Amino acid sequence: MALTGNEVAKHNSNESCWVIVHGKAYDVTEFMPEHPGGMTIILKWAGKDSTDTYEPIHPPDTLDKYLDESKHLGEVDISTVMKEKKEINPDEAERLDRIERMPILEQCYNLMDFEEVAKSVMKETAWAYYSSAADDEITLRENHSAFHKIWFRPQILVDVEKVDDSTTMLGTKVDIPFYVTATALGKLDHPEGEVVLTRAAKKHNVIQMIPTLGSCSFDEVVNAAEGNQVQRLQLYVNKDRAITKQIIEHAERRGCKGLFITVDAPQLGRREKDMRNKFKEAGSNSFIDPSLSLKDILWFQSVTNMPIILNGVQRVEDVIRAAEAGIQGVVLSNHGGRQLDFARSGIEVLAEVMPVLHERGWQDRIEVYIDGGVRRATDIIKALCLGAKGVSIGRPFVYAMSSYGLPGVNRAMQLLKDEMEMSMRLIGCSSVDQLNPSLVDARGLFNHSITPSDSLGLSVYEPLVSPKQRAKL
Ligand code: HEM
Ligand SMILES: Cc1cc2nc3c(=O)[nH]c(=O)nc-3n(C[C@H](O)[C@H](O)[C@H](O)COP(=O)(O)O)c2cc1C
C-alpha cells in the first residue's frame, strides 16, 4: 500500500529523515551526512516533496547509484501530500522581464556577449553555480587576463588563401582545436542539460567530455550522440573503487574514447558566491577520493584500454611524472578557478611545461591541453603557438545554452570558427601545425606584478587619513 503524506511528514529531523522524489519516499537519515550537497538542504526538505528542487541537480540514476535499495521506501499517495507554498522571489518578475527584452541571438558577436546576456537572464542559483570560483576569484580572472600578456609576432607574405583549422586530438580528427569540457549540472537553467552540448559538438565536429556529475545521466548523453561522434568521460574517482571500475567499464563499452581523470579536486573549493546563494556548507565532496595518488594510475591502466588524460595538472614536475607513468595526455587546468585560488593560469603553466618537454625530446610523448579563460580564437592560437595540442572551453557554452539553447551554443562555436579562420590568416598561417613559439611574444606571461583586484578586501578597507586642520578656537 502507498505511504501517505502524513506518514512521510513525521520523518522530518536528523533522527529520521525521509524525502519524496517523483512520487516515491526515500529514507536519507544515514546518507545525509555523506550527501555531496550538504545536510542543510536535505533537512530543509525533510518529510516533504523535494522533486522540484531535486530534479535539475541530480541525474535520473542518482538514487539507484548512491542510495542503498533498502532505503527506497516505495510509492507515496501524492494526493495526500501537502503542497509546498512556493516562495515568491521579488527579483524573479524582473528577471522574467529581462528575458522578454533580451538581445536576439544575432546580437551576440563573441563569447563574452553570451556571458553578459546570461548574467541578466539566468536563474540566480544557476548563475551563482556556473560563474562562481574559489575564494577571492583571483585565479578565475587571472585565467582570462593571462592571455592578454601574450602578443603576436605575425608573419607576412604567406599564402593564406585557404586556411585549415582542423587537427587531431589523441588520434581523433576535429574541425578546430577546442573541445567541450565537463561542466556539472547542465539542467540548472536549461531543461535538457548536457545533451544540448552533445548536439552542438556533433554539428561542429568537436569532442565532448561527459561530466561524472552531469544533470543528464551518462547514458542519456551517450544516446544523444550521432554516428561516429567522439565523447570522452570525465571521472571523479570514487572512494569505492568497485563503483569507479563499473563507471569506467560502462563508458568503454558504450564507446567512450578517452578517460579524463580529474586530479585537482581532493576537496571541492569554497565557491562563496554559490554558497551565499544557497546558504550551503562548503567542504569535502565525500565520494571523491582525496587519497588518490600516482600509484593508482597503474590500476586505471589495468582496468581500461581508453587513453588516460590527467585533468587539472598545474606544474611541470607533474607532467613529467605523468609522461613517465605512460599517461597519454594532461590538461593544464585549475578547474576554471574553482579550486585553489592563486593557482596559475593554464596558459602560464604551458609556457613552463613545453620547453622542459622539448629539452627531453618528449614533446610528442604526451599531448598537452589547457583550459581556463579561453574566450577568443586568438587565445586558442596563443596556446597552440606555445605547444598545446588544443584547449577546452567550459562556461561560455553553458552560458550560451542557458540563454539561447542549442542555437546559442551553435552560434558560439561558429563565432570561434570564424574568428579562428580570420586570425590564422592575419598571423600568417594556413594550418594549425604551422603555429609555433616564434609567432608570439610571451615574455610578460610570468609577470605577476598585476593581479586581479581583491574586491572583498577593497570594499572593507578604510583608507588611512592625513592629519586634519584643527578647529578654530
Ligand atoms: C534522496 C537522495 C539523494 C541523493 C542520493 C543525492 C545525491 C547527490 C549527489 C550524488 C550529488 C552530487 C552532485 C554534485 O555535487 O554536483 C548531490 C548534490 C546535491 N544535492 Fe543531492 N541527493 C539526494 C537528495 C537531495 C535532496 C532531497 C536535495 C534537495 C532537495 C538535494 C540537493 C542537492 C544539492 C543542492 C546538491 C549540490 C549541488 C552543487 O554542487 O551545488 N539532494 N546530491
Ligand atoms: C559550472 C562548472 C562546473 C564544472 N564541473 C566540473 C566537473 O564536474 N568536473 C571537472 O573535472 N571539471 C569541472 N569544471 C571545470 C571545467 O572542466 C573547466 O576546467 C573550466 O570550466 C575551464 O574554464 P572556463 O570555464 O573559463 O572555460 C566545471 C567548471 C564550471 C564552470
Side-chain angles (χ1 to χ4, degrees):
M1 223 182 52
L3 292 159
T4 65
N6 270 346
E7 280 171 288
V8 178
K10 285 181 204 149
H11 302 268
N12 61 359
S13 68
N14 265 328
E15 283 78 50
S16 180
C17 179
W18 294 6
V19 290
I20 302 172
V21 179
H22 290 306
K24 291 186 176 155
Y26 299 90
D27 180 350
V28 289
T29 320
E30 282 169 29
F31 170 74
M32 226 174 4
E34 293 275 298
H35 178 238
M39 278 177 68
T40 320
I41 181 88
I42 296 208
L43 278 171
K44 185 174 164 197
W45 290 98
K48 301 178 193 160
D49 186 351
S50 66
T51 309
D52 289 350
T53 308
Y54 177 94
E55 165 87 28
I57 302 170
H58 305 82
D61 52 0
T62 306
L63 285 156
D64 292 334
K65 249 161 109 178
Y66 296 99
L67 197 67
D68 193 83
E69 226 187 302
S70 62
K71 309 292 177 191
H72 295 222
L73 305 173
E75 301 284 337
V76 180
D77 178 354
I78 279 297
S79 66
T80 63
V81 176
M82 280 243 295
K83 289 255 172 313
E84 278 297 305
K85 267 210 193 123
K86 285 227 163 80
E87 288 166 29
I88 297 169
N89 176 353
D91 298 336
E92 184 59 6
E94 281 177 32
R95 185 180 76 90
L96 295 176
D97 180 53
R98 287 196 297 274
I99 292 178
E100 291 265 297
R101 296 180 295 109
M102 69 194 264
I104 58 167
L105 180 55
E106 289 68 27
Q107 283 175 277
C108 292
Y109 288 109
N110 56 62
L111 298 197
M112 280 297 187
D113 286 351
F114 286 101
E115 183 156 350
E116 181 62 31
V117 174
K119 189 165 67 172
S120 73
V121 303
M122 279 177 75
K123 288 182 197 146
E124 212 182 325
T125 42
W127 170 256
Y129 178 72
Y130 293 148
S131 67
S132 63
D135 296 2
D136 294 304
E137 305 193 339
I138 303 286
T139 288
L140 168 79
R141 289 171 288 157
E142 169 68 7
N143 278 349
H144 181 59
S145 58
F147 286 103
H148 301 161
K149 298 182 204 165
I150 303 175
W151 296 78
F152 285 120
R153 301 180 65 246
Q155 54 195 13
I156 53 161
L157 297 177
V158 179
D159 177 357
V160 287
E161 191 182 352
K162 290 207 176 76
V163 172
D164 179 5
D165 297 330
S166 68
T167 188
T168 57
M169 293 183 174
L170 291 168
T172 301
K173 184 116 200 279
V174 292
D175 277 8
I176 177 168
F178 71 74
Y179 62 87
V180 181
T181 190
T183 47
L185 306 187
K187 280 191 190 165
L188 277 186
D189 210 1
H190 190 282
E192 289 189 279
E194 290 81 7
V195 296
V196 173
L197 303 176
T198 312
R199 292 180 198 128
K202 168 69 185 167
K203 181 174 164 68
H204 292 278
N205 189 31
V206 292
I207 294 169
Q208 178 188 24
M209 185 168 155
I210 306 176
T212 303
L213 300 176
S215 298
C216 296
S217 69
F218 173 81
D219 282 324
E220 285 173 326
V221 185
V222 174
N223 293 344
E226 279 176 49
N228 54 1
Q229 180 172 358
V230 172
Q231 294 171 310
R232 300 197 168 126
L233 171 70
Q234 176 269 322
L235 184 75
Y236 279 129
V237 179
N238 198 298
K239 278 180 188 160
D240 182 341
R241 287 295 191 278
I243 295 183
T244 297
K245 187 161 180 263
Q246 256 174 25
I247 296 174
I248 297 174
E249 287 175 348
H250 181 68
E252 193 163 357
R253 262 199 312 278
R254 293 288 335 254
C256 258
K257 294 283 183 283
L259 179 64
F260 284 85
I261 304 176
T262 297
V263 291
D264 60 9
Q267 171 169 350
L268 288 189
R270 285 174 61 88
R271 297 132 192 199
E272 293 177 13
K273 195 196 289 177
D274 190 37
M275 290 162 69
R276 211 180 288 283
N277 189 276
K278 291 199 194 110
F279 302 107
K280 173 181 149 184
E281 324 85 285
S284 63
N285 200 327
S286 52
F287 68 90
I288 302 180
D289 186 354
S291 78
L292 187 69
S293 66
L294 200 65
K295 65 178 168 15
D296 295 298
I297 297 302
L298 273 180
W299 179 79
F300 285 107
Q301 287 164 330
S302 76
V303 297
T304 184
N305 290 316
M306 290 188 280
I308 296 178
I309 304 108
L310 298 186
N311 187 32
V313 177
Q314 299 179 44
R315 58 192 217 142
V316 65
E317 293 86 339
D318 287 335
V319 177
I320 299 292
R321 289 206 297 161
E324 281 169 348
I327 292 290
Q328 285 87 347
V330 287
V331 188
L332 307 177
S333 163
N334 50 46
H335 216 113
R338 292 160 81 82
Q339 288 298 106
L340 180 66
D341 206 12
F342 286 94
R344 296 172 301 161
S345 64
I347 187 81
E348 181 180 334
V349 179
L350 177 71
E352 170 184 284
V353 165
M354 292 317 295
V356 178
L357 289 184
H358 276 279
E359 252 171 49
R360 294 177 173 233
W362 285 13
Q363 64 278 11
D364 297 322
R365 180 165 166 171
I366 186 162
E367 291 196 356
V368 180
Y369 297 85
I370 69 158
D371 77 12
V374 175
R375 300 294 181 264
R376 289 273 187 194
T378 46
D379 299 339
I380 304 177
I381 290 175
K382 287 171 183 176
L384 267 68
C385 284
L386 292 179
K389 191 74 180 144
V391 306
S392 74
I393 298 179
R395 292 182 184 85
F397 297 144
V398 183
Y399 292 144
M401 170 173 81
S402 301
S403 310
Y404 296 100
L406 179 59
V409 190
N410 278 333
R411 181 165 171 89
M413 290 187 182
Q414 188 57 48
L415 286 170
L416 278 174
K417 282 183 162 175
D418 295 346
E419 281 185 16
M420 184 85 185
E421 186 176 334
M422 177 198 70
S423 305
M424 288 285 286
R425 277 209 179 94
L426 296 181
I427 200 174
C429 291
S430 58
S431 64
V432 295
D433 58 2
Q434 294 166 11
L435 296 171
N436 68 76
S438 81
L439 295 166
V440 288
D441 173 359
R443 284 172 299 174
L445 200 47
F446 295 99
N447 184 344
H448 290 186
S449 61
I450 301 173
T451 46
S453 65
D454 168 14
S455 53
L456 286 181
L458 284 176
S459 74
V460 295
Y461 177 66
E462 187 175 73
L464 296 176
V465 290
S466 314
K468 289 202 176 91
Q469 294 267 307
R470 282 177 294 138
K472 268 190 185 155
L473 295 175

